[in-house]
Amino acid sequence: MRYIEQQAVVKRMNGRLIANSIFKYVFLAATLVALVALVILLYRIISQGMGHLSIEFLTNFASRFPEKAGIKAALVGSLWLMLVVAPTSIILGVGSAIYLEEYAKQNRITTFIRMNISNLAGVPSVVFGLLGLTIFVRAMALGNSILAAGFTMSLLILPVIVVASQEAIRSVPGELRDASFGMGATKWQTIVKIILPAAIPGILTGSILALSRAIGETAPLIVIGVPVIIQFLPAGVMDTFTALPMQIYDWSSRPQPEFQNVAAAGIMVLMAVLLFMNSIAVIIRNKFDKRY
Amino acid sequence: MRPSVQEMIARSNGKKNKKAIEKIIPILLFLIASVSVLTSIGIVVTLIVETITFFTRVPFFDFIFGTTWLPFSNKDAQFGILPLIVGTLKVTLIATIVAVPIGISAAIYLSEYASENVRRILKPVLEVLAGVPTIVYGFFALTFVTPILQSVFPEIKIFNAISPGIVVGIMIIPMIASLSEDAMSSVPKSIREGALAMGSTKFEVAWKITVPAALSGIIASVVLAVSRAIGETMIVSLAAGSTPRFDGDFTGSIQTMTAYIVQVSKGDAGFGTTIYYSIYAVGFTLFVFTMVMNILAGYVSKRFREEY
């Protein structure tokens, strides 16, 4: 007597094997959708924007005429914005991370701060715009200045920097800490001279990625009333300004089709800036990876 | 003669400012850490205060049950938020239909099938896709996806819910894929190997072992992605139009909550007008929606986690 009915097994087996091989390709195809979407997106933007991209485009101010429209004010404005956002968000983010990882006791306040940070990461950016409008633009009377926009953006990316810095600090081996304490260093000395230098690659990588999110954000800028048509460069942080995504938004929403090409060229500039920032992050990550 | 170690320690302990620093720094860092708490409080208080002002002018029930959103009318302004919610849900529905099957399939492929080399290429692609600014997606929806849809279905208008829905879906694919993959990767290998040893095919392992085991993480990733879709602003502002509508039509211009806030902010709604306060009421509604989703995601991933 046979224990296994071969016929029945073979009959079931075929269907299972076919399902197995079909679904392998279904899953692969789904993964490739992401790749294809990215390729089409980049191809479309480059083919549309390439014709308009020139030195004049980078050095001209915005204009009613598509052939004269340039991105100078927006590019410089975005750099100014980064001058405010980078120090503000990194000091706040790294400071919070050091507190949470090194000083905070395991109590309710600490749990509350942690929970709060993860919830803050889920708040839509347009709501941060409403916060900026009320607190910075109106209550602190900063107007639609670089400072007001910079503070709003800093709060927006704060959770990202805190989480990245926490991970970087946590990954510093405990032996380093113990050795430093063993040599008689105080806590703050250990943090400044041992932990931060060891954690800096992770902190920088996370911060740069967060900043590249800030440079592409549009909604908060619109809500706090950042204008588009600016014919001068800001001279200080209290000046009004415009930024790359604002300019792109304006060009995209204009009815004339020529402005779509201008918008595509603007997007190329924005993407180039992002690519530059991301490659710095990747270089830092690779250069300092696995030192311990 | 060089001082002995004991002397050095004694001298160092005598320095007062060092002790002061050790005392001040924790306080300073605590203050910095509380900025994030202050931000949350700021958001909630701002939204509530301005929304209360709004409700002194527009009755609460007219707002949450009203089916007409007509804020710019001079003599007969109406603030019933349901049309904006319906608009948001239309876009979110399409985004979910696009992103959930693709995102979860991609996660299964990456965690169960892909070799190390393939992963090394595909993971950065997802990261890049996640890093593309939403304004770029909005431009893509308006100038590429909409014309293609129109050439296939001529009844679709230039502003509609379908095109931004699809593009929002593409935007949240990386989020679902990478969070779900994390959940699947944390399923222990021994369970998979057990199933394989019993004669399961790879597909059966993925579908009957890994996915159920990682289900809490997968559902949490979907809920988080839906929350992101609800709060998405630029794609819908550019491609969905600005016509608040309380109906089931996807082919014509609609308006979402986020797009309304942008529309008002772009124009010069004077400080103190009812329209000015209405963006806070809409923002508060949006905030409640996303917050509920985020808390739900946290609850699902904690409550239904399979522990191994």
Side-chain angles (χ1 to χ4, degrees), chain A residues 188-249:
Chain A
W188 181 239
Q189 285 173 327
T190 307
I191 291 171
V192 172
K193 296 189 176 157
I194 305 295
I195 295 172
L196 279 185
I200 213 83
I203 292 175
L204 274 182
T205 310
S207 305
I208 292 173
L209 293 179
L211 289 176
S212 62
R213 173 161 174 223
I215 219 167
E217 269 294 346
T218 324
L221 297 181
I222 299 179
V223 175
I224 63 177
V226 170
V228 176
I229 310 292
I230 293 274
Q231 298 290 348
F232 56 88
L233 296 181
V237 289
M238 288 308 293
D239 284 357
T240 185
F241 75 114
T242 191
L244 286 173
M246 284 299 295
Q247 191 71 69
I248 294 167
Y249 173 61

Side-chain angles (χ1 to χ4, degrees), chain B residues 3-208:
Chain B
S4 72
V5 174
Q6 281 90 343
E7 278 170 349
M8 281 163 71
I9 291 174
R11 208 180 294 163
S12 148
N13 281 346
K15 281 183 190 160
K16 269 208 173 136
N17 60 349
K18 198 166 123 187
K19 274 190 178 162
I21 283 179
E22 291 299 323
K23 282 219 170 95
I24 293 169
I25 290 292
I27 299 169
L28 198 67
L29 289 176
F30 175 74
L31 292 179
I32 287 179
S34 49
V35 168
S36 70
V37 178
L38 289 179
T39 307
S40 301
I41 295 172
I43 288 175
V44 174
V45 169
T46 303
L47 291 178
I48 288 180
V49 167
E50 308 285 36
T51 303
I52 287 174
T53 315
F54 175 76
F55 283 138
T56 60
R57 303 180 187 192
V58 176
F60 177 70
F61 287 105
D62 288 4
F63 178 70
I64 60 165
F65 293 122
T67 55
T68 314
W69 186 261
L70 209 64
F72 302 110
S73 162
N74 278 328
K75 53 180 195 303
D76 188 30
Q78 289 193 56
F79 294 90
I81 197 170
L82 289 179
L84 295 183
I85 293 180
V86 167
T88 299
L89 292 183
K90 281 179 192 167
V91 172
T92 308
L93 177 70
I94 292 176
T96 314
I97 291 172
V98 170
V100 168
I102 295 178
I104 295 179
S105 301
I108 294 177
Y109 185 79
L110 286 172
S111 91
E112 304 296 312
Y113 290 90
S115 67
E116 206 36 57
N117 283 330
V118 176
R119 284 165 58 95
R120 215 173 292 151
I121 301 168
L122 287 176
K123 290 271 280 188
V125 167
L126 287 178
E127 274 175 38
V128 172
L129 210 54
V132 172
T134 55
I135 180 79
V136 178
Y137 280 119
F139 176 80
F140 186 63
L142 181 66
T143 64
F144 182 70
V145 179
T146 301
I148 286 184
L149 286 174
Q150 282 179 314
S151 66
V152 182
F153 307 102
E155 67 271 24
I156 291 180
K157 314 280 190 313
I158 174 100
F159 296 118
N160 59 73
I162 301 171
S163 161
I166 292 173
V167 176
V168 171
I170 294 174
M171 183 196 83
I172 60 176
I173 285 174
M175 196 172 177
I176 297 182
S178 75
L179 290 177
S180 296
E181 199 229 329
D182 287 347
M184 289 181 201
S185 301
S186 65
V187 174
K189 250 200 165 122
S190 54
I191 301 182
R192 286 194 190 93
E193 282 160 359
L196 285 171
M198 296 300 288
S200 299
T201 63
K202 220 167 182 181
F203 168 65
E204 286 162 345
V205 172
W207 196 243
K208 296 181 179 167

Side-chain angles (χ1 to χ4, degrees), chain A residues 64-66 251-261:
Chain A
R64 283 189 295 127
F65 307 104
W251 284 329
S252 308
S253 49
R254 278 168 192 256
Q256 306 97 308
E258 296 84 27
F259 268 112
Q260 291 192 355
N261 298 340

